[in-house]
Amino acid sequence: FLPRHLRVEPALSLQIVNADPGATCDEACSSLGLACDETQLQFVNSCHHMLRAFPCEGGCGHEVGDDLPAYVHDVAMATAGQCLLFDSGSPKCDRGHPSTTRLCGCVMPPG
């Protein structure tokens, strides 16, 4: 087991927020007076959370990218209708894609 001071746990102030299509999590969180926290993205990265936020008519799939988790709203994409999750890597708050809608982990801003 990891000592408590080394663990990353869900923040008490964690709010799961849908970004606008193509927008970043930084934009989505700041529009609500919150801040995106990259360490919290792992806690929203589940099919359960995606299905609560999006239709996921193509199911949940695993991809690599720094703009995940996200729902593919663009019908021209091969992954249209899928909710995409990450297995590895470090998704970023400042990334978005014109064909997807991100699911974000927002927290109270520091200070």
Side-chain angles (χ1 to χ4, degrees), residues 31-52:
S31 74
L32 299 172
L34 301 170
C36 179
D37 182 337
E38 291 174 357
T39 67
Q40 298 298 302
L41 292 174
Q42 64 184 310
F43 300 111
V44 303
N45 184 54
S46 73
C47 196
H48 169 78
H49 287 304
M50 294 299 286
L51 285 166
R52 292 183 72 190

Side-chain angles (χ1 to χ4, degrees), residues 2-50:
L2 278 176
R4 184 172 288 295
H5 72 280
L6 295 177
R7 295 181 200 166
V8 176
E9 297 181 350
L12 294 176
S13 65
L14 177 63
Q15 293 185 39
I16 300 172
V17 174
N18 293 28
D20 288 332
T24 69
C25 285
D26 278 339
E27 294 166 338
C29 295
S30 68
S31 74
L32 299 172
L34 301 170
C36 179
D37 182 337
E38 291 174 357
T39 67
Q40 298 298 302
L41 292 174
Q42 64 184 310
F43 300 111
V44 303
N45 184 54
S46 73
C47 196
H48 169 78
H49 287 304
M50 294 299 286

Side-chain angles (χ1 to χ4, degrees), residues 24-111:
T24 69
C25 285
D26 278 339
E27 294 166 338
C29 295
S30 68
S31 74
L32 299 172
L34 301 170
C36 179
D37 182 337
E38 291 174 357
T39 67
Q40 298 298 302
L41 292 174
Q42 64 184 310
F43 300 111
V44 303
N45 184 54
S46 73
C47 196
H48 169 78
H49 287 304
M50 294 299 286
L51 285 166
R52 292 183 72 190
F54 304 107
C56 304
E57 50 286 24
C60 293
H62 296 269
E63 293 283 336
V64 175
D66 56 8
D67 58 346
L68 300 175
Y71 169 70
V72 184
H73 62 260
D74 186 345
V75 297
M77 299 294 290
T79 53
Q82 286 187 18
C83 286
L84 303 178
L85 307 169
F86 62 90
D87 285 330
S88 62
S90 299
K92 306 295 181 202
C93 290
D94 64 352
R95 303 294 197 279
H97 190 282
S99 296
T100 66
T101 305
R102 294 211 50 198
L103 191 64
C104 305
C106 304
V107 297
M108 294 301 297

